[in-house]
Amino acid sequence: MRIFSGIQPTGRKHLGNYIGAITQYVEAQERGDAVLCIVDLHAITVPHDPAELRERLYDTTAILLAAGLEPARCVLFRQSDVVEHSELTWLLSSVTAYGDLTRMHQFKDKAAAQRELVSAGLFFYPVLQAADVLAYRAQEVPVGEDQRQHVELMRDIATRFNARYGDTLVVPAHRIPPVGARIMDLQHPERKMSTTGGSEEGTIYVLDEPSAIEHKFRRAVTDSGSEIARAPEKPGVSNLLEILAAVRAVAPADLEAQLHGMGYGELKAGVARAVIAHLAPVRERYERLRGDEPALERTLADGAQRARAIASDTVADVRERMGVGAPRRSRPLP
Ligand code: AMP
Ligand code: TRP
């Protein structure tokens, strides 16, 4: 089974990214043929600093390797190194409904946050994301809850393409984890943890020092009452339980039973300890990997070469189906 996912090289990666997505990428190596892409072309759809984008790309690459991605067991690459993504975006735009793009939540949120310019790139972002996945004919896309709508859209795009031009693309399914698909901000547990929309105090970064992690959990907002249980009116405690369940790989319901009678202070200290233990080895490995940029470049270059071999095949089929470019004689379509 082919599994594909993408991650932006922007901001600092946080616990939401780690639990909702990165953990799943690492597991994907066990379950199938994993292809992971660091999406620098998506990152330029909002204002950015060019030099910082390069730094962040290396940061993200090193975090993924530190988390357990092994270049020998997956394809890890930088989106812009495989030009097929850009070409496929254009080809697929003709089977993408304009109306659907206007309804994308992420576009609406990000557009509302722009002060100067809402770029056409931001509007087209989901088409590029569809091209990312469809180029690899991936069956499965591990993501956090916030990407559900984008995966729905790529399914529609693939289905419309196949209906119009004949069976060519694989219609992918999302894989959203049952626990940890939407980690909330510790200070504002009604908002998702995020580098752009969250609070600094309420966001745990993968590379935070243990003392910072402890401090942020100690100050985490809890709810009225004293019961340790998940409930809509208890978003703070629910989030802490969800985080603990995810890092310990147990069911939240089991934790509720286990922690019955414990105070909120003790719960917060326990979650902090578990998260620190979970992230400490990642941070150590990161420090070693991040220092060697030429090695990171070599890893990405090798990944790009392998990615391109797959993507170019798909793009050739799509061009052929659509009647774009010279007809292909050597390898007839199935
Ligand atoms: P990004 O850094 O925006 O590229 O996101 C990378 C991955 O992390 C995507 O699959 C997101 O769905 C996931 N993600 C982002 N924020 C959260 C969160 N607060 N909880 C769980 N998953 C998240
Ligand atoms: N849009 C995704 C996010 O913000 C990142 C992404 C780009 C992606 N291309 C992808 C995710 C392809 C899954 C598959 O998190």
Side-chain angles (χ1 to χ4, degrees):
M1 174 169 56
R2 167 103 16 98
I3 303 168
F4 184 101
S5 198
I7 185 164
Q8 300 201 63
T10 44
R12 287 175 286 164
K13 293 299 144 193
H14 53 72
L15 191 60
N17 300 133
Y18 197 83
I19 291 175
I22 297 175
T23 307
Q24 295 199 80
Y25 308 163
V26 177
E27 283 167 10
Q29 299 178 114
E30 313 284 338
R31 291 188 303 109
D33 165 15
V35 184
L36 281 319
C37 178
I38 304 174
V39 296
D40 55 347
L41 296 177
H42 278 113
I44 61 170
T45 59
V46 291
H48 72 285
D49 177 65
E52 194 181 321
L53 177 59
R54 291 228 166 85
E55 292 300 315
R56 295 299 190 201
L57 195 125
Y58 290 136
D59 295 350
T60 307
T61 310
I63 285 185
L64 293 177
L65 294 170
L69 285 184
E70 295 171 40
R73 296 172 68 211
C74 68
V75 176
L76 173 63
F77 72 105
R78 170 171 47 206
Q79 187 182 37
S80 61
D81 286 344
V82 181
V83 292
E84 280 76 2
H85 291 234
S86 302
E87 180 172 0
L88 190 57
T89 300
W90 185 254
L91 295 170
L92 294 177
S93 71
S94 63
V95 285
T96 304
Y98 168 81
D100 286 349
L101 290 181
T102 65
R103 283 186 283 276
M104 292 292 122
H105 306 307
Q106 193 164 304
F107 170 70
K108 286 195 260 184
D109 293 348
K110 285 194 179 177
Q114 300 309 311
R115 271 168 296 161
E116 252 181 56
L117 171 80
V118 177
S119 70
L122 194 58
F123 185 68
F124 243 54
Y125 179 118
V127 192
L128 176 59
Q129 186 165 345
D132 290 343
V133 175
L134 302 180
Y136 297 87
R137 296 186 161 114
Q139 281 108 327
E140 201 181 274
V141 188
V143 282
E145 178 63 43
D146 61 357
Q147 296 301 311
R148 187 185 286 274
Q149 196 186 28
H150 284 160
V151 179
E152 275 309 312
L153 180 78
M154 62 181 77
R155 290 173 59 86
D156 291 345
I157 292 173
T159 304
R160 193 174 292 114
F161 187 96
N162 289 345
R164 198 177 276 184
Y165 299 108
D167 222 7
T168 313
L169 299 171
V170 171
V171 182
H174 62 66
R175 184 182 170 99
I176 296 176
V179 177
R182 193 172 166 80
I183 298 297
M184 310 307 273
D185 188 285
L186 301 183
Q187 288 296 317
H188 304 277
E190 68 293 342
R191 298 209 299 248
K192 69 171 180 179
M193 191 175 282
S194 120
T195 357
T196 43
S199 69
E200 184 68 21
E201 275 273 280
T203 307
I204 304 283
Y205 296 102
V206 176
L207 302 177
D208 268 349
E209 302 274 344
S211 58
I213 298 180
E214 214 222 82
H215 174 81
K216 289 176 187 172
F217 275 111
R218 198 170 344 114
R219 308 224 21 212
V221 167
T222 44
D223 318 287
S224 55
S226 60
E227 208 192 334
I228 295 191
R230 287 165 306 153
E233 69 280 10
K234 293 168 87 74
V237 171
S238 302
N239 190 38
L240 292 171
L241 278 171
E242 185 102 348
I243 292 171
L244 188 58
V247 299
R248 285 217 198 137
V250 296
D254 293 347
L255 275 184
E256 284 171 350
Q258 213 181 313
L259 304 181
H260 186 74
M262 185 185 262
Y264 286 166
E266 221 183 318
L267 170 68
K268 290 199 270 185
V271 182
R273 272 196 307 277
V275 169
I276 289 168
H278 198 67
L279 295 180
V282 180
R283 198 162 134 255
E284 275 167 31
R285 285 194 291 268
Y286 172 86
E287 294 302 339
R288 280 200 306 277
L289 290 157
R290 181 64 181 86
D292 193 351
E293 286 182 6
L296 295 173
E297 269 304 339
R298 281 195 298 277
T299 299
L300 292 170
D302 177 64
Q305 210 179 353
R306 290 189 286 147
R308 197 159 192 189
I310 308 169
S312 59
D313 208 53
T314 309
V315 171
D317 287 352
V318 167
R319 289 174 66 117
E320 181 74 6
R321 288 284 197 202
M322 297 181 95
V324 167
R328 186 173 53 178
R329 310 217 180 274
S330 51
R331 195 169 66 85
L333 285 162

